[in-house]
Amino acid sequence: MTPSTGDRLLSVVRDGVRIHDLGRRLFVGMPQSPNHPAYWHTLPRRHGDRVRADGGSAANDMVVMGTHVGTHIDALAHVSQDGLLHGGADAAAAGAGGVYPEHGVHTIAPMVRRGVLLDIPAVLGETCPPGHEITPADLEAAQKRQGTPVGAGDVVLIRSGWGRHFENPDHRVYRGEESGVPGVGEAGARWLAERRAHAAGADTIAFERLAPGAGHSRLPAHRVLLVESGIYIIETLALDELAAAGVHEFTFVLAPLPLFGATGSPVRPLAVVSDTLVPDTVVSCRGGAGIGGTDG
Amino acid sequence: MTPSTGDRLLSVVRDGVRIHDLGRRLFVGMPQSPNHPAYWHTLPRRHGDRVRADGGSAANDMVVMGTHVGTHIDALAHVSQDGLLHGGADAAAAGAGGVYPEHGVHTIAPMVRRGVLLDIPAVLGETCPPGHEITPADLEAAQKRQGTPVGAGDVVLIRSGWGRHFENPDHRVYRGEESGVPGVGEAGARWLAERRAHAAGADTIAFERLAPGAGHSRLPAHRVLLVESGIYIIETLALDELAAAGVHEFTFVLAPLPLFGATGSPVRPLAVVSDTLVPDTVVSCRGGAGIGGTDG
Amino acid sequence: MTPSTGDRLLSVVRDGVRIHDLGRRLFVGMPQSPNHPAYWHTLPRRHGDRVRADGGSAANDMVVMGTHVGTHIDALAHVSQDGLLHGGADAAAAGAGGVYPEHGVHTIAPMVRRGVLLDIPAVLGETCPPGHEITPADLEAAQKRQGTPVGAGDVVLIRSGWGRHFENPDHRVYRGEESGVPGVGEAGARWLAERRAHAAGADTIAFERLAPGAGHSRLPAHRVLLVESGIYIIETLALDELAAAGVHEFTFVLAPLPLFGATGSPVRPLAVVSDTLVPDTVVSCRGGAGIGGTDG
Amino acid sequence: MTPSTGDRLLSVVRDGVRIHDLGRRLFVGMPQSPNHPAYWHTLPRRHGDRVRADGGSAANDMVVMGTHVGTHIDALAHVSQDGLLHGGADAAAAGAGGVYPEHGVHTIAPMVRRGVLLDIPAVLGETCPPGHEITPADLEAAQKRQGTPVGAGDVVLIRSGWGRHFENPDHRVYRGEESGVPGVGEAGARWLAERRAHAAGADTIAFERLAPGAGHSRLPAHRVLLVESGIYIIETLALDELAAAGVHEFTFVLAPLPLFGATGSPVRPLAVVSDTLVPDTVVSCRGGAGIGGTDG
């Protein structure tokens, strides 16, 4: 019934794509930074609370959260240095009124662009140790090993392996305040900026390397990327399954919620690749949440 | 620097795509149904509140909202009929514990599939009047006029023209409780179900036709789609610019936030088409929020 | 079994007191100012959601609200004039960090003091018309008629009769933005300040007179009381039953929630009087919510 | 100026009362049970965000919280046993609709009644050790030592000394999940019920004894008091300063927020005693938050 399409993109999609879901499920009690309001979900109305005369009933939700919870993106409004935001705007004045009209997350255009996964454990031969700084040499080695050099406008996802701690019921492990957390430092951030990445992500809460016991006292990669370079940061990504599938280059899709004036947004990014073995079938790699239909 | 890609999808993307942003901006005071907790955003921390020793500062957010606010998707958990959810599950039992583990919005797989816009005003010769029921004949006429028949697995977006009221400061106009709101009724919903649509959307809050003064006393399209057919519903879409661009067939991209056990999620859907006139450029049609970069 | 007490206050209490409840019930959908986040209550956990092995179960709540909702008190942090708070503090600097440590509602000492109800309708012979300014002459006439002159340190509650609109399902009636709302103006506020009242309250949302259609464009009584005089303001009081009982002088009891750094708090103020006809019985005048026990 | 009063209660109040503030300050990051949504406060609007033409400006708040946070009271709706609430109501049916109309915190009448502090450390010679069960013998010894036998209708506050941990930045200490927490067990609860107490409170989160490492797996005192006896429970009280002042009998004042249908409410209870040494002066014992004025 459905005709062939004249659109090249849709034609390729209909030949079959595989979707890798890079977003963590949001649930009450998940690990997150204590600097941000905790994610909470509740049902004000459940089925049966109010049944209409025709037998219909609706359930609904209330959600409370910071925006830097779950898998999320940092807008340029999130970080300032010496009182200035990216581009030199006065950070205090930019937020007068309780919103950032010029630098908020609603200003981030939806992304459909090349994404590159840099799989650092594949280079190191082990998951990055706590507090390990991922160096430019590590990044170079990863892109060389994979044959996927980073280019201007790309979204670069850096896998440290730390994501394996996300489901640890002791949230201090994933947050890693005491142990330290692996990630890029100032040098790695500069490497990304020099390549003119569009956005950069990681499988940790803070994106960047945290020294053991140091907490968030210094965040040089945020400064280099957000403030100096205007490069967005994506945190708490689920990257292990993408790495296990051996997918290092893909179409990266991300549409932040356009929360007017906010400093960030929870997101559900996708890595999409052609897969003619599963024609017109959407398949994701993240368990129950991501199994698509086969309605072709 | 960036090499040619071996992935067909990415290759087409890099040749140039145009992104149409179908999501409404979320802001305090926007129109929404009073049945759901109002969207509210505030900044617990602004720049300057706490400045680190190195001159860095972070701002952050708190968001409170229902999930059926802004542009949003209804999960199967949202509506029951005679005590049952889609598939026959007991609706009360399914939500025991305050979450819907089997029917919640986290079970909706990310969508990268064919989307069809059915532009009803283009058929009627005017925007749909308040309370107008969009009939199967209207839907047939639209797909015929456009040359875009709906197929199994497609996402069908039905434009009534009502979205022009979204920014009216008197929210009662867009909600239309007194005037009525145009949309499909039971017959139109069956038409969609017979074609095995994957999801259906509209540019109104309630998706379906509301008779003048009747409010939400009857919601037959929700019953037919969500309960009887397992077809997701997307509401409060921004469709006017897509229609103005004459785009009736596209790759529809949607990744609901995986809010565990929730009955819905705010979303930012995209309609993406190839556009070799703007090689490797991401362009969206929704004003400031959607202007992409040109980093080729 | 219980011995006589050596404490004079307790001895009088045990001889019998009558409690008049001056606080409005808080419920989802109640009228409030749209400037403040709406009150919302939901049950994250209901009985049966999780039953312990011993058969016990707990239900709990989530509440979201502004603090100027329901019956509430304004802290000195709430209002500034020309950039200054009461006492001359710089208003912007006082709230740096997202809290008002020196002027927040946590700094309001609990009140157990003389309260005076000034019943203006009893003087006017009718409930105050919309937009009526309650003048110093009205206040003088009321205290004279009642034989209850206002003294230094008193809490003065001014009844306009507007509280009868609180339960009107059309919230615009009680808010009165179009009709105007009765209350004191600048002159009435000065009258209160000259008498060195400790706090002043009314049965309206805004406390002071709102001219028809003028909204909150000018709030001179807030300036005189909060900024110039350090006198707290209590709004949305339930005063009709107190007036009907003919109680014009009483022990006023108020304990704001010590919300650190907040600009206000919902409260439940009490007017307590001796009543030896009901020995050791606590009786309140606000219907179901206030019926006390008789356990003497 | 102010005349003598004809009301006995007010007359005694004007002779001088001392107010002891028993409520903990609520602040972001305070210790609370992880079963309840965390208290969060933020300023949507700060001074300067919107300045009216006349130079006036208002700041306001958003508060999100569970109701069993800070010093709070449990309504009868909070706990069920074998599917039943106090009085035998079906617990699931009682909350259909998302509120408890018959058992919610709005049904708790404001309290102005005899209060008794039972100072257990004064009997034991030391603060109660972690996991110590306060026995009927302990309670008897305390009331005997103090000369303040508990009578019907009294509010009984049981001090364990555990409140000293409230301000420990490691919240696990005050919560005491690993160490255990002192409090009454089933026997102590029965002792209170036999005396027909109106309400019972403690300086811990859970009120009752928690065995080391046992968490909230069994809560027999909640069952005996709330379900079997209809006796309210007040938790997280600040009792150390009351004990230090040697006040064991007082007028207890408590007015829970009338949150319709909720299972509890944060509260700020007061213990008030006559004090002719400070005529007409309100003095509280909780530091800056409780210093009253002297305007007599």
Side-chain angles (χ1 to χ4, degrees):
Chain A
M1 173 81 186
T2 314
S4 306
T5 175
D7 185 73
R8 283 183 64 214
L9 179 70
L10 182 55
S11 179
V12 171
V13 165
R14 292 184 69 87
D15 284 345
V17 290
R18 184 176 292 269
I19 302 174
H20 296 274
D21 184 356
L22 309 182
R24 296 277 183 199
R25 192 173 283 182
L26 291 109
F27 60 93
V28 177
M30 68 184 184
Q32 64 170 85
S33 163
N35 290 335
H36 302 283
Y39 173 81
W40 203 279
H41 164 261
T42 167
L43 299 174
R45 204 187 297 172
R46 302 187 186 185
H47 290 294
D49 278 352
R50 295 189 207 174
V51 180
R52 293 195 309 269
D54 68 355
S57 161
N60 66 19
D61 311 276
M62 172 173 255
V63 168
V64 172
M65 57 182 180
T67 57
H68 302 263
V69 302
T71 305
H72 63 274
I73 190 167
D74 293 351
L76 299 181
H78 183 42
V79 171
S80 67
Q81 182 66 32
D82 301 326
L84 304 179
L85 295 175
H86 176 67
D90 180 272
V99 283
Y100 294 93
E102 305 299 328
H103 305 81
V105 73
H106 65 284
T107 65
I108 302 180
M111 301 176 197
V112 179
R113 17 174 104 238
R114 182 173 184 253
V116 172
L117 173 72
L118 296 181
D119 190 354
I120 307 304
V123 169
L124 297 185
E126 59 171 356
T127 56
C128 298
H132 173 77
E133 179 171 338
I134 297 173
T135 63
D138 292 336
L139 300 170
E140 294 278 357
Q143 70 173 2
K144 181 173 180 186
R145 177 187 160 277
Q146 300 170 178
T148 56
V150 170
D154 288 353
V155 176
V156 184
L157 308 183
I158 302 170
R159 176 175 177 263
S160 70
W162 194 255
R164 72 189 182 282
H165 297 308
F166 182 78
E167 298 191 357
N168 191 316
D170 184 348
H171 297 168
R172 291 171 295 176
V173 176
Y174 183 61
R175 296 209 312 256
E177 288 140 2
E178 293 160 31
S179 63
V181 178
V184 298
E186 178 161 353
R190 293 214 180 283
W191 186 91
L192 291 162
E194 285 161 7
R195 274 144 197 80
R196 297 171 52 211
H198 183 72
D203 51 0
T204 62
I205 288 186
F207 177 74
E208 60 189 286
R209 183 241 180 188
L210 300 184
H216 295 190
S217 58
R218 291 184 64 251
L219 296 172
H222 279 69
R223 171 172 48 79
V224 170
L225 294 177
L226 286 172
V227 183
E228 298 180 11
S229 312
I231 297 174
Y232 307 117
I233 299 176
I234 309 165
E235 289 155 328
T236 314
L237 283 157
L239 299 177
D240 286 355
E241 291 163 289
L242 188 64
V247 177
H248 301 117
E249 183 185 46
F250 42 85
T251 297
F252 179 82
V253 178
L254 177 65
L257 291 182
L259 309 169
F260 180 71
T263 69
S265 172
V267 294
R268 190 178 189 177
L270 308 176
V272 191
V273 291
S274 286
D275 186 352
T276 52
L277 298 182
V278 282
D280 201 18
T281 299
V282 172
V283 178
S284 169
C285 64
R286 273 207 64 246
I291 303 302
T294 56
D295 33 34
Chain B
M1 171 79 186
T2 314
S4 306
T5 174
D7 185 74
R8 284 184 64 213
L9 179 70
L10 182 54
S11 180
V12 172
V13 165
R14 293 184 69 88
D15 283 345
V17 291
R18 183 176 293 269
I19 302 174
H20 297 274
D21 183 355
L22 310 181
R24 296 277 182 198
R25 192 173 283 183
L26 292 109
F27 59 93
V28 176
M30 69 183 183
Q32 64 170 85
S33 163
N35 290 335
H36 301 284
Y39 174 81
W40 204 279
H41 165 261
T42 167
L43 300 173
R45 204 188 298 172
R46 302 187 186 184
H47 289 294
D49 279 351
R50 296 190 206 171
V51 179
R52 293 194 309 270
D54 68 355
S57 161
N60 67 18
D61 311 276
M62 173 173 256
V63 168
V64 172
M65 58 182 179
T67 57
H68 301 263
V69 303
T71 305
H72 63 274
I73 190 167
D74 293 350
L76 299 182
H78 183 41
V79 170
S80 68
Q81 181 66 31
D82 301 326
L84 304 179
L85 295 174
H86 176 66
D90 180 90
V99 283
Y100 293 93
E102 304 299 329
H103 306 82
V105 74
H106 65 284
T107 65
I108 302 180
M111 300 176 199
V112 179
R113 22 174 100 236
R114 182 173 183 252
V116 172
L117 174 72
L118 295 182
D119 189 354
I120 307 304
V123 169
L124 297 186
E126 59 171 357
T127 57
C128 299
H132 173 77
E133 179 170 337
I134 297 172
T135 63
D138 291 339
L139 300 170
E140 293 278 357
Q143 71 172 1
K144 181 172 179 187
R145 176 186 162 278
Q146 300 171 177
T148 56
V150 170
D154 287 354
V155 176
V156 184
L157 309 183
I158 302 170
R159 176 175 177 263
S160 70
W162 196 254
R164 70 190 183 280
H165 297 307
F166 182 78
E167 298 191 357
N168 190 315
D170 184 348
H171 296 168
R172 290 171 296 177
V173 175
Y174 183 62
R175 295 210 311 256
E177 289 140 3
E178 294 161 30
S179 63
V181 178
V184 299
E186 178 161 352
R190 291 214 182 283
W191 186 91
L192 290 162
E194 286 161 7
R195 272 143 198 81
R196 297 172 52 211
H198 184 72
D203 51 0
T204 63
I205 289 185
F207 177 75
E208 60 189 285
R209 184 242 180 186
L210 300 184
H216 294 190
S217 58
R218 291 183 65 249
L219 296 171
H222 279 69
R223 171 172 47 79
V224 170
L225 295 177
L226 286 172
V227 184
E228 298 179 10
S229 312
I231 297 173
Y232 307 117
I233 299 177
I234 309 165
E235 290 155 327
T236 314
L237 284 158
L239 299 177
D240 286 356
E241 291 163 289
L242 188 64
V247 176
H248 300 117
E249 183 185 46
F250 42 85
T251 297
F252 180 82
V253 178
L254 177 65
L257 290 182
L259 309 168
F260 181 71
T263 69
S265 172
V267 294
R268 189 177 190 178
L270 308 176
V272 190
V273 291
S274 286
D275 185 353
T276 53
L277 299 182
V278 282
D280 200 18
T281 299
V282 172
V283 178
S284 168
C285 65
R286 273 207 64 246
I291 304 301
T294 56
D295 34 35
Chain C
M1 173 78 186
T2 314
S4 307
T5 174
D7 185 73
R8 284 182 65 210
L9 179 70
L10 182 54
S11 180
V12 171
V13 165
R14 293 184 68 87
D15 284 345
V17 292
R18 183 175 293 270
I19 302 174
H20 297 274
D21 184 355
L22 309 181
R24 296 279 182 198
R25 193 173 282 182
L26 292 110
F27 59 95
V28 176
M30 68 184 183
Q32 64 169 86
S33 163
N35 290 334
H36 302 284
Y39 173 81
W40 204 280
H41 164 260
T42 167
L43 300 173
R45 202 187 300 173
R46 302 187 186 185
H47 290 294
D49 278 353
R50 294 190 207 172
V51 180
R52 294 194 308 269
D54 68 355
S57 160
N60 65 19
D61 310 277
M62 172 172 256
V63 168
V64 172
M65 58 182 179
T67 58
H68 301 263
V69 303
T71 305
H72 63 274
I73 190 167
D74 294 351
L76 299 180
H78 183 42
V79 171
S80 67
Q81 182 65 32
D82 301 326
L84 303 179
L85 294 175
H86 176 66
D90 180 271
V99 283
Y100 294 94
E102 304 299 328
H103 305 82
V105 73
H106 65 284
T107 66
I108 302 180
M111 300 177 198
V112 179
R113 14 176 107 237
R114 183 174 182 252
V116 172
L117 173 72
L118 295 181
D119 190 356
I120 307 304
V123 169
L124 298 185
E126 59 170 357
T127 56
C128 298
H132 173 76
E133 179 170 339
I134 297 172
T135 64
D138 291 338
L139 300 170
E140 293 277 357
Q143 72 173 1
K144 181 174 179 185
R145 176 187 162 278
Q146 300 171 178
T148 56
V150 170
D154 289 352
V155 176
V156 184
L157 309 183
I158 301 170
R159 177 175 176 261
S160 70
W162 195 256
R164 70 188 184 282
H165 297 307
F166 182 78
E167 298 191 356
N168 190 315
D170 184 348
H171 296 168
R172 291 171 295 176
V173 175
Y174 183 63
R175 297 210 309 257
E177 288 141 2
E178 294 161 30
S179 63
V181 178
V184 298
E186 177 160 354
R190 293 215 181 281
W191 186 91
L192 291 162
E194 286 161 7
R195 273 142 199 82
R196 297 170 53 210
H198 184 72
D203 51 0
T204 62
I205 289 186
F207 177 75
E208 60 188 284
R209 183 240 179 188
L210 301 183
H216 294 191
S217 58
R218 290 184 63 249
L219 297 172
H222 279 70
R223 170 172 48 78
V224 170
L225 295 178
L226 286 172
V227 183
E228 298 179 10
S229 311
I231 297 173
Y232 307 116
I233 299 177
I234 309 166
E235 289 154 328
T236 314
L237 283 157
L239 298 177
D240 286 356
E241 291 164 289
L242 189 65
V247 177
H248 302 116
E249 183 185 45
F250 42 84
T251 297
F252 180 82
V253 179
L254 178 64
L257 291 182
L259 309 168
F260 181 71
T263 69
S265 172
V267 294
R268 190 178 190 178
L270 307 177
V272 190
V273 291
S274 287
D275 186 352
T276 54
L277 299 181
V278 283
D280 201 19
T281 300
V282 172
V283 178
S284 168
C285 67
R286 273 208 63 245
I291 303 302
T294 56
D295 34 36
Chain D
M1 171 78 188
T2 314
S4 306
T5 174
D7 185 74
R8 284 183 65 210
L9 179 70
L10 182 54
S11 180
V12 171
V13 165
R14 292 184 69 87
D15 283 346
V17 291
R18 183 175 293 270
I19 301 174
H20 296 275
D21 184 354
L22 310 181
R24 296 278 183 199
R25 192 173 283 181
L26 291 110
F27 59 94
V28 177
M30 69 184 182
Q32 63 170 86
S33 163
N35 290 335
H36 302 284
Y39 173 81
W40 204 279
H41 164 260
T42 166
L43 299 173
R45 204 187 300 172
R46 303 188 186 185
H47 289 294
D49 278 352
R50 294 189 208 172
V51 180
R52 293 194 309 269
D54 68 356
S57 160
N60 66 19
D61 311 276
M62 173 172 256
V63 168
V64 172
M65 59 182 177
T67 58
H68 302 263
V69 303
T71 306
H72 63 275
I73 190 166
D74 293 351
L76 299 181
H78 183 42
V79 170
S80 67
Q81 181 65 32
D82 301 325
L84 304 179
L85 294 175
H86 176 67
D90 181 271
V99 283
Y100 294 93
E102 305 299 328
H103 305 82
V105 74
H106 65 284
T107 66
I108 302 180
M111 299 176 199
V112 179
R113 21 175 100 235
R114 183 173 183 251
V116 172
L117 173 72
L118 296 181
D119 190 355
I120 307 303
V123 169
L124 297 185
E126 59 170 358
T127 56
C128 299
H132 173 76
E133 179 170 338
I134 297 173
T135 63
D138 292 338
L139 299 170
E140 293 277 358
Q143 71 173 2
K144 181 173 179 186
R145 176 186 161 278
Q146 300 171 178
T148 56
V150 171
D154 289 353
V155 175
V156 184
L157 308 183
I158 302 169
R159 176 174 177 263
S160 70
W162 196 255
R164 70 188 183 281
H165 297 307
F166 182 79
E167 298 191 356
N168 191 314
D170 184 347
H171 297 168
R172 291 171 295 177
V173 176
Y174 183 61
R175 296 210 311 255
E177 288 141 1
E178 293 160 31
S179 63
V181 179
V184 298
E186 177 160 354
R190 293 213 180 283
W191 186 92
L192 291 162
E194 286 161 7
R195 273 143 197 81
R196 298 170 52 208
H198 183 72
D203 51 0
T204 62
I205 289 186
F207 177 75
E208 60 189 286
R209 183 241 179 186
L210 300 183
H216 294 192
S217 58
R218 291 183 65 249
L219 297 172
H222 279 69
R223 170 171 47 79
V224 170
L225 295 177
L226 286 172
V227 184
E228 298 179 11
S229 312
I231 297 173
Y232 307 116
I233 299 177
I234 309 165
E235 289 155 328
T236 314
L237 284 157
L239 299 177
D240 286 355
E241 290 163 289
L242 188 65
V247 176
H248 301 116
E249 182 185 46
F250 42 85
T251 296
F252 179 81
V253 179
L254 177 65
L257 290 181
L259 309 168
F260 181 70
T263 69
S265 172
V267 294
R268 190 178 190 179
L270 308 176
V272 190
V273 291
S274 286
D275 186 352
T276 53
L277 298 182
V278 282
D280 201 19
T281 299
V282 172
V283 178
S284 169
C285 65
R286 274 208 62 246
I291 303 302
T294 56
D295 35 33

